Amino acid sequence: MYSNIAGLYGGAIYNGETGIIIMTNGTIRNNQANWGGAIALGVRENSFTFNGGSIINNIAQKDGGGIFKEIAGIYHYVSGTLSGNTPNDYKAIE
């Protein structure tokens, strides 16, 4: 997923409800949003498992250039590249 723009959450992917996302390959890059330039996990119980691929060079205006996780979201890192995201690669609000 390349060069998407979202107003608030998740430039490429926003998992705001009870969904389960597993990334096993591919690239998410050059996306933008206020929170979670690439991926945002909302306040409901949902999950994102990063099991390969790349999340690179995404931009968030507020927080979580790569991945932004709210209180109830679950993030599992298994493997893959998470780098070059602005302002940070991963931000969790607990």
Side-chain angles (χ1 to χ4, degrees):
M1 296 181 177
Y2 306 94
S3 303
N4 297 291
I5 298 173
L8 292 177
Y9 296 101
I13 298 170
Y14 175 55
N15 188 1
E17 295 298 323
T18 57
I20 297 170
I21 297 171
I22 301 170
M23 180 174 173
T24 58
N25 204 347
T27 301
I28 299 175
R29 88 169 158 230
N30 299 335
N31 300 285
Q32 296 181 38
N34 281 345
W35 291 274
I39 297 168
L41 302 174
V43 296
R44 305 229 193 258
E45 292 183 15
N46 52 52
S47 70
F48 173 68
T49 300
F50 190 17
N51 191 27
S54 300
I55 299 173
I56 55 174
N57 301 331
N58 299 283
I59 298 171
Q61 301 303 316
K62 307 286 185 187
D63 246 331
I67 300 168
F68 178 78
K69 183 188 87 63
E70 296 243 23
I71 296 166
I74 299 168
Y75 169 60
H76 299 283
Y77 174 82
V78 179
S79 67
T81 301
L82 181 63
S83 69
N85 301 289
T86 304
N88 39 40
D89 288 322
Y90 172 72
K91 176 69 176 188
I93 305 298
E94 303 295 339

Coordinates of all heavy atoms in Angstrom, one line a residue:
M1 N 0.8 -1.2 0.0 CA 0.0 0.0 0.0 C 0.9 1.2 0.0 O 1.7 1.4 0.9 CB -0.9 0.0 1.2 CG -1.8 -1.1 1.3 SD -2.9 -1.0 2.7 CE -3.9 -2.4 2.4
Y2 N 0.7 2.1 -0.9 CA 1.6 3.2 -1.1 C 0.8 4.5 -1.2 O -0.3 4.6 -1.9 CB 2.4 3.1 -2.4 CG 3.1 1.8 -2.5 CD1 2.6 0.7 -3.2 CD2 4.4 1.7 -2.0 CE1 3.3 -0.5 -3.3 CE2 5.1 0.5 -2.1 CZ 4.5 -0.6 -2.7 OH 5.2 -1.8 -2.8
S3 N 1.3 5.6 -0.6 CA 0.9 7.0 -0.9 C -0.6 7.2 -0.6 O -1.2 8.0 -1.4 CB 1.3 7.4 -2.3 OG 2.7 7.2 -2.5
N4 N -1.1 6.6 0.4 CA -2.5 6.9 0.8 C -2.5 8.0 1.9 O -1.5 8.2 2.6 CB -3.2 5.7 1.4 CG -3.3 4.6 0.4 OD1 -4.0 4.7 -0.5 ND2 -2.5 3.5 0.6
I5 N -3.6 8.8 2.0 CA -3.7 9.9 3.0 C -5.0 9.7 3.7 O -6.1 9.6 3.0 CB -3.6 11.3 2.3 CG1 -2.2 11.4 1.7 CG2 -3.8 12.4 3.4 CD1 -2.1 12.7 0.9
A6 N -5.0 9.7 5.0 CA -6.2 9.6 5.8 C -6.3 10.9 6.7 O -5.2 11.3 7.2 CB -6.2 8.4 6.7
G7 N -7.4 11.4 7.0 CA -7.6 12.6 7.8 C -7.2 12.4 9.2 O -6.4 13.1 9.8
L8 N -7.6 11.3 9.9 CA -7.4 11.1 11.3 C -6.5 9.9 11.5 O -5.3 10.0 12.0 CB -8.7 10.9 12.1 CG -9.5 12.2 12.2 CD1 -10.8 11.8 12.9 CD2 -8.8 13.3 12.8
Y9 N -7.0 8.6 11.3 CA -6.3 7.4 11.7 C -5.9 6.5 10.5 O -6.7 6.3 9.7 CB -7.1 6.6 12.7 CG -7.4 7.3 14.0 CD1 -8.7 8.0 14.2 CD2 -6.5 7.3 15.0 CE1 -8.9 8.6 15.3 CE2 -6.8 8.0 16.2 CZ -8.0 8.6 16.4 OH -8.3 9.3 17.5
G10 N -4.7 6.0 10.6 CA -4.3 4.9 9.7 C -4.3 5.3 8.2 O -5.2 5.1 7.5
G11 N -3.1 5.8 7.8 CA -3.0 6.2 6.4 C -3.2 5.1 5.4 O -3.8 5.2 4.4
A12 N -2.8 3.9 5.7 CA -3.0 2.7 4.9 C -4.1 1.8 5.5 O -5.0 1.3 4.8 CB -1.7 1.9 4.7
I13 N -4.0 1.6 6.8 CA -5.0 0.6 7.5 C -5.4 1.2 8.8 O -4.6 1.6 9.6 CB -4.3 -0.7 7.7 CG1 -3.9 -1.4 6.4 CG2 -5.2 -1.6 8.5 CD1 -3.0 -2.6 6.6
Y14 N -6.8 1.2 9.0 CA -7.3 1.6 10.3 C -8.2 0.4 10.8 O -9.2 0.1 10.2 CB -8.2 2.8 10.2 CG -8.9 3.2 11.5 CD1 -8.1 3.3 12.7 CD2 -10.2 3.4 11.6 CE1 -8.7 3.6 13.9 CE2 -10.9 3.7 12.8 CZ -10.1 3.8 13.9 OH -10.7 4.1 15.1
N15 N -7.7 -0.2 11.9 CA -8.5 -1.3 12.5 C -9.1 -0.8 13.7 O -8.6 -0.9 14.8 CB -7.6 -2.5 12.8 CG -8.3 -3.7 13.2 OD1 -9.5 -3.8 13.3 ND2 -7.6 -4.8 13.5
G16 N -10.3 -0.2 13.6 CA -10.9 0.5 14.7 C -11.9 -0.4 15.5 O -12.3 0.0 16.6
E17 N -12.3 -1.5 15.0 CA -13.2 -2.4 15.6 C -12.6 -3.7 16.1 O -11.5 -3.6 16.7 CB -14.4 -2.7 14.7 CG -15.2 -1.5 14.3 CD -15.9 -0.8 15.5 OE1 -16.4 -1.6 16.4 OE2 -16.0 0.4 15.5
T18 N -13.2 -4.8 16.0 CA -12.7 -6.0 16.6 C -12.0 -6.9 15.5 O -12.0 -8.1 15.6 CB -13.8 -6.8 17.2 OG1 -14.8 -7.1 16.3 CG2 -14.4 -6.1 18.4
G19 N -11.4 -6.3 14.5 CA -10.8 -7.1 13.4 C -9.4 -7.7 13.8 O -8.8 -7.2 14.8
I20 N -9.0 -8.7 13.1 CA -7.7 -9.3 13.2 C -6.9 -9.1 11.9 O -7.4 -9.6 10.8 CB -7.8 -10.8 13.6 CG1 -8.5 -10.9 14.9 CG2 -6.4 -11.4 13.6 CD1 -8.9 -12.3 15.2
I21 N -5.8 -8.5 11.9 CA -5.0 -8.3 10.7 C -3.6 -9.0 10.9 O -3.0 -8.8 12.0 CB -4.7 -6.8 10.4 CG1 -6.1 -6.1 10.1 CG2 -3.8 -6.6 9.3 CD1 -6.0 -4.6 10.0
I22 N -3.2 -9.8 9.9 CA -1.9 -10.4 10.0 C -1.1 -10.0 8.7 O -1.6 -10.3 7.6 CB -2.0 -11.9 10.1 CG1 -2.8 -12.3 11.3 CG2 -0.6 -12.6 10.0 CD1 -3.2 -13.8 11.4
M23 N 0.0 -9.4 8.8 CA 0.8 -9.0 7.7 C 2.0 -10.0 7.6 O 2.8 -10.1 8.5 CB 1.3 -7.6 7.8 CG 2.2 -7.1 6.7 SD 2.6 -5.4 6.9 CE 3.8 -5.2 5.5
T24 N 2.1 -10.7 6.4 CA 3.1 -11.7 6.3 C 4.1 -11.4 5.2 O 5.1 -12.0 5.1 CB 2.5 -13.1 6.0 OG1 1.7 -13.0 4.8 CG2 1.7 -13.6 7.2
N25 N 3.8 -10.3 4.4 CA 4.7 -10.0 3.4 C 4.3 -8.6 2.8 O 3.3 -8.1 3.2 CB 4.8 -11.0 2.2 CG 6.0 -11.0 1.5 OD1 6.8 -10.0 1.5 ND2 6.3 -12.0 0.7
G26 N 5.0 -8.1 1.9 CA 4.6 -6.8 1.2 C 5.2 -5.6 1.9 O 6.0 -5.7 2.8
T27 N 4.8 -4.4 1.3 CA 5.4 -3.2 1.8 C 4.2 -2.2 2.0 O 3.4 -2.0 1.1 CB 6.4 -2.6 0.8 OG1 7.4 -3.6 0.6 CG2 7.0 -1.3 1.3
I28 N 4.3 -1.5 3.1 CA 3.4 -0.3 3.4 C 4.3 0.9 3.5 O 5.2 0.9 4.4 CB 2.6 -0.5 4.6 CG1 1.7 -1.8 4.5 CG2 1.7 0.7 4.9 CD1 0.9 -2.1 5.8
R29 N 4.2 1.8 2.5 CA 5.2 3.0 2.6 C 4.5 4.2 2.0 O 3.6 4.2 1.2 CB 6.4 2.6 1.9 CG 6.4 2.9 0.4 CD 7.8 2.8 -0.2 NE 7.6 2.6 -1.6 CZ 8.1 1.7 -2.3 NH1 9.0 0.9 -1.8 NH2 7.8 1.6 -3.6
N30 N 5.1 5.4 2.5 CA 4.7 6.7 2.0 C 3.2 7.1 2.2 O 2.6 7.7 1.4 CB 5.1 6.9 0.5 CG 6.5 6.8 0.3 OD1 7.4 7.0 1.2 ND2 6.9 6.4 -0.9
N31 N 2.6 6.6 3.3 CA 1.3 6.9 3.7 C 1.3 8.0 4.8 O 2.3 8.2 5.5 CB 0.5 5.7 4.2 CG 0.5 4.6 3.1 OD1 -0.2 4.7 2.2 ND2 1.4 3.6 3.3
Q32 N 0.1 8.7 4.9 CA 0.0 9.8 5.9 C -1.3 9.8 6.6 O -2.3 9.5 6.0 CB 0.2 11.1 5.2 CG 1.5 11.4 4.6 CD 1.6 12.7 3.9 OE1 1.1 13.7 4.5 NE2 2.2 12.8 2.8
A33 N -1.3 10.2 7.9 CA -2.5 10.4 8.7 C -2.1 11.2 10.0 O -0.9 11.4 10.2 CB -3.1 9.0 9.1
N34 N -3.0 11.7 10.7 CA -2.7 12.4 12.0 C -2.1 11.4 13.0 O -1.1 11.7 13.6 CB -3.9 13.0 12.6 CG -4.3 14.3 11.9 OD1 -3.5 14.9 11.2 ND2 -5.5 14.8 12.1
W35 N -2.7 10.2 13.2 CA -2.2 9.2 14.0 C -2.1 7.9 13.2 O -3.0 7.5 12.6 CB -3.1 8.9 15.2 CG -3.2 10.1 16.2 CD1 -2.3 10.3 17.2 CD2 -4.1 11.1 16.2 NE1 -2.7 11.4 17.9 CE2 -3.8 12.0 17.3 CE3 -5.2 11.5 15.4 CZ2 -4.5 13.1 17.6 CZ3 -5.9 12.6 15.7 CH2 -5.5 13.4 16.8
G36 N -0.9 7.2 13.3 CA -0.7 6.0 12.6 C -0.6 6.3 11.1 O -1.4 6.0 10.3
G37 N 0.6 6.8 10.7 CA 0.8 7.1 9.3 C 0.6 5.9 8.4 O 0.0 6.0 7.3
A38 N 1.0 4.7 8.8 CA 0.7 3.5 8.1 C -0.5 2.7 8.6 O -1.4 2.5 7.9 CB 2.0 2.6 8.1
I39 N -0.4 2.4 10.0 CA -1.5 1.6 10.6 C -1.9 2.2 11.9 O -1.0 2.6 12.7 CB -0.9 0.2 10.8 CG1 -0.6 -0.5 9.5 CG2 -1.9 -0.7 11.6 CD1 0.2 -1.7 9.6
A40 N -3.2 2.2 12.2 CA -3.7 2.6 13.5 C -4.6 1.5 14.0 O -5.5 1.0 13.3 CB -4.4 3.9 13.4
L41 N -4.5 1.2 15.3 CA -5.3 0.3 16.0 C -6.2 1.1 16.9 O -5.6 1.8 17.8 CB -4.5 -0.8 16.7 CG -3.6 -1.6 15.9 CD1 -2.7 -2.5 16.8 CD2 -4.4 -2.4 14.9
G42 N -7.5 1.1 16.8 CA -8.4 1.9 17.6 C -8.6 1.4 19.0 O -7.9 0.6 19.5
V43 N -9.6 1.9 19.7 CA -9.9 1.7 21.1 C -10.6 0.4 21.4 O -10.7 0.0 22.5 CB -10.7 2.9 21.7 CG1 -9.9 4.2 21.6 CG2 -12.0 3.1 21.0
R44 N -11.1 -0.3 20.4 CA -11.7 -1.6 20.6 C -10.7 -2.7 20.6 O -9.6 -2.5 20.2 CB -12.8 -1.9 19.6 CG -13.8 -0.8 19.4 CD -15.2 -1.3 19.4 NE -16.1 -0.4 19.0 CZ -16.9 0.3 19.9 NH1 -16.8 0.0 21.2 NH2 -17.8 1.2 19.4
E45 N -11.1 -3.9 21.1 CA -10.2 -5.0 21.1 C -10.0 -5.5 19.6 O -10.9 -6.1 19.1 CB -10.7 -6.1 22.0 CG -10.7 -5.7 23.4 CD -11.1 -6.9 24.3 OE1 -11.2 -8.0 23.9 OE2 -11.4 -6.6 25.5
N46 N -8.8 -5.2 19.1 CA -8.4 -5.6 17.8 C -7.0 -6.0 17.8 O -6.3 -5.8 18.8 CB -8.7 -4.5 16.8 CG -8.1 -3.2 17.2 OD1 -6.9 -3.2 17.5 ND2 -8.9 -2.2 17.3
S47 N -6.5 -6.6 16.7 CA -5.1 -6.9 16.7 C -4.4 -6.8 15.3 O -5.1 -6.9 14.3 CB -4.9 -8.3 17.2 OG -5.3 -9.3 16.3
F48 N -3.1 -6.5 15.4 CA -2.3 -6.5 14.2 C -1.0 -7.3 14.5 O -0.3 -7.1 15.5 CB -1.9 -5.1 13.9 CG -0.9 -5.0 12.7 CD1 -1.2 -5.3 11.4 CD2 0.4 -4.6 13.0 CE1 -0.3 -5.3 10.4 CE2 1.4 -4.5 12.0 CZ 1.0 -4.9 10.7
T49 N -0.8 -8.3 13.7 CA 0.4 -9.2 13.8 C 1.3 -8.9 12.7 O 0.9 -9.0 11.5 CB 0.1 -10.7 13.9 OG1 -0.8 -10.9 15.0 CG2 1.3 -11.5 14.0
F50 N 2.5 -8.4 13.0 CA 3.5 -8.1 11.9 C 4.5 -9.3 11.8 O 5.3 -9.5 12.7 CB 4.3 -6.8 12.4 CG 5.2 -6.2 11.3 CD1 5.1 -6.5 10.0 CD2 6.1 -5.3 11.7 CE1 5.9 -6.0 9.0 CE2 6.9 -4.7 10.7 CZ 6.8 -5.0 9.4
N51 N 4.3 -10.1 10.8 CA 5.0 -11.3 10.6 C 5.7 -11.3 9.3 O 5.8 -12.4 8.6 CB 4.0 -12.5 10.7 CG 4.7 -13.8 10.8 OD1 5.8 -13.9 11.2 ND2 4.0 -14.9 10.3
G52 N 6.3 -10.2 8.9 CA 7.1 -10.1 7.7 C 6.7 -8.9 6.8 O 5.6 -8.4 6.9
G53 N 7.6 -8.5 6.0 CA 7.3 -7.4 5.1 C 8.0 -6.1 5.6 O 8.9 -6.2 6.5
S54 N 7.5 -5.0 5.1 CA 8.2 -3.7 5.5 C 7.1 -2.6 5.7 O 6.2 -2.5 4.9 CB 9.1 -3.2 4.4 OG 10.1 -4.1 4.2
I55 N 7.3 -1.8 6.8 CA 6.5 -0.7 7.0 C 7.5 0.5 7.1 O 8.2 0.6 8.1 CB 5.7 -0.8 8.3 CG1 4.7 -2.0 8.2 CG2 4.9 0.5 8.6 CD1 4.0 -2.3 9.5
I56 N 7.6 1.3 6.1 CA 8.7 2.2 6.0 C 8.2 3.6 5.4 O 7.3 3.7 4.6 CB 9.9 1.7 5.1 CG1 9.4 1.3 3.7 CG2 10.6 0.5 5.8 CD1 10.4 0.9 2.7
N57 N 8.9 4.6 5.9 CA 8.7 6.0 5.4 C 7.3 6.5 5.4 O 6.9 7.2 4.4 CB 9.3 6.1 4.0 CG 10.8 5.8 3.9 OD1 11.5 5.9 4.9 ND2 11.3 5.2 2.8
N58 N 6.6 6.2 6.4 CA 5.2 6.8 6.6 C 5.3 8.0 7.6 O 6.2 8.1 8.4 CB 4.3 5.7 7.1 CG 4.2 4.5 6.2 OD1 3.5 4.6 5.2 ND2 4.9 3.4 6.5
I59 N 4.3 8.8 7.5 CA 4.3 10.1 8.3 C 3.0 10.2 9.0 O 1.9 10.1 8.5 CB 4.5 11.3 7.4 CG1 5.8 11.2 6.7 CG2 4.4 12.6 8.2 CD1 6.0 12.3 5.6
A60 N 3.1 10.5 10.3 CA 2.0 10.9 11.2 C 2.2 12.3 11.6 O 3.3 12.7 12.1 CB 1.8 9.9 12.4
Q61 N 1.1 13.1 11.6 CA 1.2 14.5 12.0 C 1.3 14.6 13.5 O 2.0 15.5 14.1 CB 0.0 15.3 11.5 CG -0.1 15.3 10.0 CD 1.1 15.9 9.3 OE1 1.7 16.9 9.7 NE2 1.6 15.2 8.3
K62 N 0.7 13.6 14.2 CA 0.7 13.6 15.7 C 1.6 12.6 16.3 O 2.6 12.9 16.9 CB -0.7 13.4 16.2 CG -1.8 14.3 15.7 CD -1.7 15.7 16.3 CE -2.8 16.5 15.7 NZ -2.7 17.9 16.1
D63 N 1.3 11.3 16.1 CA 2.1 10.2 16.7 C 2.0 8.9 15.9 O 1.0 8.7 15.2 CB 1.6 9.9 18.1 CG 2.7 10.2 19.1 OD1 3.9 10.2 18.8 OD2 2.3 10.6 20.3
G64 N 3.0 8.0 16.0 CA 2.9 6.7 15.4 C 3.1 6.7 13.9 O 2.2 6.3 13.2
G65 N 4.2 7.2 13.4 CA 4.4 7.3 12.0 C 4.3 5.9 11.3 O 3.7 5.8 10.2
G66 N 4.7 4.9 12.0 CA 4.6 3.5 11.4 C 3.3 2.9 11.9 O 2.4 2.6 11.2
I67 N 3.2 2.7 13.2 CA 2.1 2.0 13.9 C 1.6 2.8 15.1 O 2.5 3.2 15.9 CB 2.4 0.6 14.3 CG1 2.8 -0.2 13.1 CG2 1.2 0.0 15.0 CD1 3.4 -1.6 13.4
F68 N 0.4 3.1 15.2 CA -0.2 3.8 16.4 C -1.2 2.9 17.0 O -2.1 2.4 16.3 CB -0.9 5.1 16.0 CG -1.5 5.8 17.1 CD1 -0.7 6.5 18.0 CD2 -2.9 5.8 17.3 CE1 -1.3 7.2 19.1 CE2 -3.5 6.4 18.4 CZ -2.7 7.2 19.3
K69 N -1.1 2.6 18.3 CA -2.0 1.7 19.0 C -2.6 2.4 20.2 O -1.9 2.9 21.1 CB -1.2 0.4 19.5 CG -2.1 -0.6 20.2 CD -1.2 -1.7 20.8 CE -0.8 -1.4 22.2 NZ -1.8 -1.2 23.2
E70 N -3.9 2.3 20.2 CA -4.7 2.9 21.4 C -4.8 1.8 22.5 O -4.2 0.7 22.3 CB -6.1 3.3 20.9 CG -6.1 4.4 19.9 CD -6.7 5.7 20.4 OE1 -6.8 5.9 21.6 OE2 -7.1 6.5 19.6
I71 N -5.4 2.1 23.5 CA -5.5 1.3 24.8 C -5.8 -0.2 24.5 O -5.0 -1.0 25.0 CB -6.5 1.9 25.8 CG1 -6.0 3.3 26.2 CG2 -6.6 1.0 27.0 CD1 -7.0 4.1 26.9
A72 N -6.8 -0.5 23.9 CA -7.3 -1.9 23.8 C -6.7 -2.7 22.6 O -6.7 -3.9 22.6 CB -8.8 -2.0 23.7
G73 N -6.0 -2.0 21.7 CA -5.4 -2.7 20.6 C -4.3 -3.6 21.0 O -3.6 -3.4 22.0
I74 N -4.1 -4.7 20.2 CA -3.0 -5.6 20.5 C -2.0 -5.6 19.3 O -2.5 -5.8 18.1 CB -3.5 -7.0 20.7 CG1 -4.5 -7.0 21.9 CG2 -2.4 -8.0 20.9 CD1 -5.3 -8.3 22.1
Y75 N -0.7 -5.4 19.5 CA 0.3 -5.5 18.5 C 1.3 -6.6 18.8 O 1.8 -6.6 19.9 CB 1.0 -4.1 18.4 CG 2.2 -4.1 17.6 CD1 2.1 -4.4 16.2 CD2 3.4 -3.7 18.1 CE1 3.3 -4.3 15.4 CE2 4.6 -3.7 17.3 CZ 4.5 -4.0 16.0 OH 5.6 -4.0 15.2
H76 N 1.5 -7.5 17.8 CA 2.4 -8.6 17.9 C 3.5 -8.4 16.9 O 3.1 -8.3 15.7 CB 1.8 -9.9 17.7 CG 0.7 -10.3 18.7 ND1 0.9 -10.7 20.0 CD2 -0.6 -10.3 18.5 CE1 -0.2 -10.9 20.6 NE2 -1.2 -10.7 19.7
Y77 N 4.7 -8.3 17.3 CA 5.8 -8.2 16.3 C 6.5 -9.6 16.3 O 6.9 -10.1 17.3 CB 6.9 -7.2 16.7 CG 8.1 -7.2 15.8 CD1 8.0 -6.6 14.5 CD2 9.2 -7.9 16.1 CE1 9.1 -6.7 13.7 CE2 10.3 -8.0 15.3 CZ 10.2 -7.4 14.0 OH 11.3 -7.5 13.2
V78 N 6.5 -10.2 15.1 CA 7.2 -11.5 14.9 C 8.5 -11.3 14.1 O 9.6 -11.6 14.4 CB 6.3 -12.5 14.2 CG1 7.0 -13.8 14.0 CG2 5.0 -12.7 15.0
S79 N 8.3 -10.6 12.9 CA 9.4 -10.3 12.0 C 9.0 -9.2 11.1 O 7.8 -8.9 10.9 CB 9.9 -11.5 11.3 OG 8.9 -11.9 10.3
G80 N 10.0 -8.6 10.4 CA 9.7 -7.6 9.4 C 10.5 -6.3 9.7 O 11.2 -6.2 10.7
T81 N 10.5 -5.4 8.8 CA 11.2 -4.1 8.9 C 10.2 -3.0 9.2 O 9.3 -2.8 8.5 CB 11.9 -3.8 7.6 OG1 12.8 -4.9 7.3 CG2 12.7 -2.5 7.7
L82 N 10.5 -2.3 10.3 CA 9.7 -1.1 10.7 C 10.7 0.0 10.9 O 11.4 0.0 11.9 CB 9.0 -1.5 12.0 CG 8.1 -0.4 12.6 CD1 6.9 0.0 11.7 CD2 7.5 -0.8 14.0
S83 N 10.8 0.9 9.9 CA 11.9 1.9 10.0 C 11.6 3.1 9.1 O 10.8 3.1 8.2 CB 13.2 1.4 9.6 OG 13.3 1.1 8.2
G84 N 12.2 4.2 9.5 CA 12.1 5.5 8.7 C 10.8 6.2 8.8 O 10.5 7.0 8.0
N85 N 9.9 5.8 9.8 CA 8.6 6.4 9.9 C 8.7 7.6 10.9 O 9.5 7.6 11.8 CB 7.7 5.4 10.5 CG 7.5 4.2 9.6 OD1 7.0 4.3 8.5 ND2 8.1 3.1 10.0
T86 N 7.9 8.7 10.6 CA 8.0 9.9 11.3 C 6.7 10.2 12.0 O 5.7 10.1 11.3 CB 8.4 11.1 10.4 OG1 9.6 10.7 9.7 CG2 8.6 12.4 11.1
P87 N 6.6 10.6 13.2 CA 7.7 10.9 14.1 C 8.3 9.8 14.9 O 9.3 9.9 15.5 CB 7.0 11.9 15.2 CG 5.6 11.4 15.3 CD 5.3 10.9 13.9
N88 N 7.7 8.6 14.9 CA 8.3 7.4 15.5 C 7.8 6.2 14.8 O 6.7 6.2 14.2 CB 8.0 7.4 17.0 CG 6.6 7.8 17.3 OD1 5.7 7.5 16.6 ND2 6.5 8.6 18.4
D89 N 8.5 5.1 14.9 CA 8.1 3.9 14.2 C 6.8 3.2 14.9 O 6.0 2.7 14.2 CB 9.2 2.8 14.2 CG 10.3 3.2 13.2 OD1 10.0 3.8 12.1 OD2 11.5 3.0 13.5
Y90 N 6.8 3.3 16.2 CA 5.7 2.7 16.9 C 5.4 3.5 18.2 O 6.3 3.9 18.9 CB 6.1 1.3 17.4 CG 5.1 0.6 18.3 CD1 3.9 0.2 17.8 CD2 5.4 0.4 19.6 CE1 3.0 -0.4 18.6 CE2 4.5 -0.2 20.5 CZ 3.2 -0.6 20.0 OH 2.3 -1.2 20.8
K91 N 4.1 3.8 18.4 CA 3.7 4.6 19.5 C 2.4 3.9 20.1 O 1.4 3.6 19.4 CB 3.3 6.0 19.2 CG 2.8 6.8 20.3 CD 3.8 7.1 21.3 CE 3.2 8.0 22.4 NZ 4.2 8.5 23.3
A92 N 2.5 3.6 21.4 CA 1.4 2.9 22.1 C 0.8 3.9 23.2 O 1.6 4.5 23.9 CB 1.8 1.6 22.7
I93 N -0.5 4.1 23.2 CA -1.1 4.8 24.3 C -1.7 3.8 25.3 O -2.6 3.0 24.9 CB -2.3 5.7 23.8 CG1 -1.7 6.6 22.7 CG2 -2.9 6.5 24.9 CD1 -0.6 7.6 23.1
E94 N -1.2 3.7 26.5 CA -1.7 2.7 27.4 C -2.5 3.3 28.5 O -2.4 4.4 28.8 CB -0.5 2.0 28.0 CG 0.4 1.3 27.0 CD -0.3 0.1 26.2 OE1 -1.3 -0.4 26.7 OE2 0.2 -0.2 25.1

